[in-house]
Amino acid sequence: MVNELVLTIFIAVFLHAACYYPCSGSNAKINFREKEKEVLDQILGPGRYDARIRPSGVNGTVEGDGPTVVRINIFLRSISKIDDYKMEYSVQLTFREQWMDERLKFNDFHGKLKYLTLTEANRVWMPDLFFSNEKEGHTHNIIMPNVYIRIFPYGSVLYSIRISLTLSCPMNLKLYPLDRQICSLRMASYGWTTDDLVFLWKDGDPVQVVKNLHLPRFTLEKFLTDYCNSKTNTGEYSCLKVDLLFKREFSYYLIQIYIPCCMLVIVSWVSFWLDQGAVPARVSLGVTTLLTMATQTSGINASLPPVSYTKAIDVWTGVCLTFVFGALLEFALVNYASRSDMHRENMKKQRRQVELEHAQSLDGASDMIDTDSNATFAMVRNRSLHNHIDANNPSPLLQKPLVRGPGDSMRLEKAHCEVHMQPRPNCCRSWLSKFPTRSKRIDVISRITFPLVFALFNVIYWSTYLFREEAEES
C-alpha cells in the first residue's frame, strides 16, 4: 500500500516536471535591457574600444585608409534676435551628426535591439566640429542634458544636441531699411584635415526650419546650403555653411520713421501761412520742429553702427532735416524783408512829406506873383490879338495848320515804338503783383516751392532705392 502511494507521488511529480519545464522554456521572455548592458560592456569595455582613434573611412582597408565621412543636418528651432548694431544674430537649433564606426557593430537579436542610447559623448569617438562664426553659445541642461548618442547595429552613430548660438553676421546697410541681409552658419573641423575627416550635408533635406517662424522686423525668405573648405599652412579643412536670407520688414520703419518725418516737415510749412508779425509763433514752431527732427535722427543713428558709407535712412533724415531748417531760415528771410519793406515805406512817407511841403511853399510864392502880373498880361494879350486880326483879317479858326510837321511824325513813331516795346503781361508777375510787399511774396512762393520740391525728392528717393533693392535681389 505504501509502495503504491510512493509510486503514485513519483509519477505525479515526474509528469508535472515534464510538463512544466518545456512550457516555461517556450514562453520565457528575454530582458533586452539587460542585453543592452551586455552589448555595451562588450563593445565599449576596457581594452575593446579606444575613443581617441578615429573610425576608418568608407570601405576602409588596411592599405590606404580613407577619411571618415560625417553627414550633418540641422533643425532650426527659433531665431530670437537680429542685432544691426552688433551685426549678430541668435539662433536655437538641434544639431545632428552621423558617421560610421565599424568597431561598434553588435548583434540586434533579430531586430529586437534597434539601437543603443548613450548620454556621455566621451564614451565614443566624436568629430572635432566647431562653429567658425560663433560669438557665444551654450547647451541646454533642463531638465536633463539635451543630448543623446544612438549606436545602430551596423555601426552607424547618430549624435544629436540642442544648442543656442550667437553668431556674427556682417551686414551691408547701404539700403537700410530697404535691405536684405545674408547671415551664415559655418561649421568646420578644427584639427582633422580633409585627409582624415570630411563633412557632408545629409542627403534629402539637410536643413529644416520650424513652421510659423516669427522674427522681429525680419522675414526668412530662403536658405541655401554650401561648402566652404578652407586652406591654411597646416592643411585643408572641411567646412559646411548654410546661408539664411533675411528681408527686413519695411512696415515697421514706415510707421516709426518715414511717416513721422513727413509729418514734421509738413508741420514746419505751417509757418508760411502764419502772419508775418507773429514772430513768437513762427520762431517756436520752427525751432520745435527742428529739435524734434534732430532728436528723431539721433535716435535712428543710435540703433545703427557707425559705418563709413551713407545709408538710405541717412539720405531721408538728412533731407527732411534740411527742409525743416530751410523753413526756419525762410522765416528769418521774411523777417528781414518785412523790416526792409517797413524802412522803404517810411522813406517813401518822408519823401512825400518833403515834396508836399516844397509844393506848398512854391504855391505860396506863385500866388503872390500871379496877383501883380495878371492885369498886365491880359492888356498885352488883348492888344496883340487885336493887331493880328486887323492885319491879316482872316478868321481865327483858320490859324491851326492843316499839314503835320516833321516833328509830329517823329513823335508818333516814337509813341508807336514805345507801345510795341512794352513787355507782354506775365501771369506769374501779375499774380505776384497782388502782393505788394516782398516779405509776403516770399511766403507765397515758399508755400508752393517747398511742397513741390519735397514731392520731387520723394519720387527720386523711392524710385532709386526700390530699383536698387530689386537689382540686388535679382
Side-chain angles (χ1 to χ4, degrees):
M1 185 70 179
V2 175
N3 292 334
E4 291 181 355
L5 181 60
V6 171
L7 181 60
T8 303
I9 294 174
F10 178 77
I11 293 174
V13 171
F14 176 78
L15 293 176
H16 177 74
C19 179
Y20 174 76
Y21 284 104
C23 293
S24 63
S26 61
N27 295 330
K29 294 183 179 180
I30 300 175
N31 188 348
F32 289 101
R33 303 290 77 79
E34 292 291 336
K35 293 295 181 182
E36 286 184 12
K37 177 181 179 304
E38 294 177 4
V39 172
L40 287 174
D41 292 339
Q42 180 182 358
I43 61 178
L44 298 177
R48 295 179 177 272
Y49 185 88
D50 193 344
R52 299 173 295 176
I53 308 301
R54 73 170 180 87
S56 59
V58 178
N59 298 325
T61 59
V62 177
E63 297 178 358
D65 187 16
T68 302
V69 177
V70 178
R71 299 188 179 276
I72 295 175
N73 71 309
I74 60 176
F75 176 68
L76 193 63
R77 292 182 174 273
S78 65
I79 299 177
S80 58
K81 70 172 182 177
I82 300 177
D83 194 336
D84 298 317
Y85 188 84
K86 296 181 179 180
M87 290 194 179
E88 63 184 20
Y89 71 105
S90 299
V91 61
Q92 183 186 124
L93 53 89
T94 298
F95 175 75
R96 303 187 186 100
E97 296 176 304
Q98 193 166 7
W99 65 93
M100 182 69 69
D101 193 344
E102 296 182 354
R103 297 172 296 176
L104 298 177
K105 290 183 178 180
F106 62 89
N107 181 16
D108 62 350
F109 295 94
H110 304 288
K112 299 296 183 179
L113 289 179
K114 295 183 178 181
Y115 54 81
L116 303 175
T117 302
L118 297 176
T119 57
E120 300 175 359
N122 57 356
R123 298 289 300 275
V124 297
W125 176 86
M126 294 289 298
D128 60 343
L129 181 141
F130 75 105
F131 297 93
S132 58
N133 60 334
E134 172 200 354
K135 288 186 174 182
E136 296 178 357
H138 66 274
T139 58
H140 296 265
N141 298 318
I142 300 174
I143 299 176
M144 292 292 292
N146 297 164
V147 58
Y148 67 80
I149 299 174
R150 291 178 181 175
I151 303 175
F152 294 90
Y154 49 90
S156 178
V157 181
L158 173 64
Y159 175 74
S160 178
I161 186 172
R162 186 167 74 97
I163 53 179
S164 293
L165 300 171
T166 299
L167 305 166
S168 64
C169 178
M171 299 181 182
N172 186 355
L173 300 174
K174 289 184 178 180
L175 297 181
Y176 177 91
L178 301 169
D179 57 333
R180 286 179 168 83
Q181 300 297 335
I182 298 178
C183 295
S184 299
L185 175 63
R186 295 173 176 266
M187 300 160 285
S189 172
Y190 188 80
W192 299 97
T193 63
T194 52
D195 296 332
D196 300 317
L197 180 63
V198 174
F199 291 123
L200 297 176
W201 286 113
K202 186 177 181 180
D203 297 334
D205 194 5
V207 178
Q208 299 172 334
V209 181
V210 66
K211 294 182 179 179
N212 300 323
L213 178 65
H214 296 287
L215 301 178
R217 295 182 292 177
F218 280 93
T219 300
L220 179 61
E221 286 192 330
K222 59 182 178 180
F223 52 87
L224 301 172
T225 56
D226 200 358
Y227 297 89
C228 55
N229 292 3
S230 60
K231 290 184 179 181
T232 65
N233 55 4
T234 57
E236 181 179 0
Y237 297 90
S238 183
C239 174
L240 302 179
K241 73 172 182 176
V242 52
D243 293 331
L244 306 173
L245 179 59
F246 296 106
K247 179 182 179 182
R248 198 180 300 271
E249 286 291 343
F250 180 69
S251 58
Y252 170 81
Y253 300 92
L254 180 65
I255 297 173
Q256 297 293 327
I257 297 176
Y258 284 92
I259 292 179
C261 288
C262 284
M263 294 173 65
L264 286 175
V265 172
I266 295 173
V267 167
S268 68
W269 298 342
V270 176
S271 174
F272 307 150
W273 299 88
L274 296 179
D275 186 68
Q276 303 167 9
V279 177
R282 297 187 70 163
V283 170
S284 61
L285 180 62
V287 172
T288 302
T289 53
L290 182 62
L291 293 178
T292 306
M293 191 68 216
T295 305
Q296 181 88 350
T297 303
S298 62
I300 295 170
N301 293 328
S303 61
L304 295 174
V307 295
S308 59
Y309 48 82
T310 302
K311 304 178 289 294
I313 195 66
D314 294 336
V315 176
W316 175 264
T317 55
V319 172
C320 291
L321 189 61
T322 303
F323 270 93
V324 175
F325 184 67
L328 185 60
L329 290 183
E330 188 271 347
F331 169 67
L333 182 60
V334 167
N335 196 321
Y336 174 78
S338 177
R339 288 186 286 108
S340 178
D341 291 337
M342 292 176 62
H343 179 70
R344 186 182 296 106
E345 188 66 24
N346 292 333
M347 293 297 294
K348 287 182 179 180
K349 289 181 179 179
Q350 292 178 3
R351 192 179 298 112
R352 291 196 200 100
Q353 186 69 23
V354 171
E355 291 177 353
L356 181 59
E357 293 176 356
H358 182 67
Q360 289 177 355
S361 62
L362 291 178
D363 289 341
S366 62
D367 289 342
M368 294 176 63
I369 295 172
D370 290 343
T371 305
D372 295 334
S373 61
N374 279 340
T376 306
F377 177 74
M379 292 174 63
V380 173
R381 182 174 181 275
N382 290 334
R383 187 181 295 114
S384 61
L385 180 60
H386 179 71
N387 294 334
H388 180 71
I389 293 173
D390 290 342
N392 298 313
N393 197 20
S395 174
L397 298 175
L398 299 177
Q399 299 303 314
K400 295 181 180 180
L402 299 177
V403 181
R404 296 174 182 171
D408 297 335
S409 62
M410 293 178 64
R411 285 193 296 271
L412 289 174
E413 291 178 0
K414 185 177 180 180
H416 185 71
C417 291
E418 289 178 355
V419 171
H420 283 282
M421 290 175 64
Q422 288 181 357
R424 296 181 179 179
N426 192 341
C427 59
C428 294
R429 290 183 178 178
S430 61
W431 177 66
L432 289 176
S433 63
K434 298 179 181 179
F435 309 100
T437 60
R438 288 189 301 171
S439 57
K440 189 64 177 179
R441 291 177 184 176
I442 294 173
D443 271 343
V444 171
I445 293 174
S446 300
R447 294 173 189 174
I448 300 174
T449 304
F450 274 72
L452 287 180
V453 176
F454 190 69
L456 179 62
F457 162 71
N458 273 270
V459 172
I460 297 174
Y461 179 87
W462 295 113
S463 59
T464 300
Y465 284 102
L466 289 178
F467 288 154
R468 287 181 62 183
E469 180 188 12
E470 293 177 359
E472 287 197 355
E473 182 181 2
S474 61

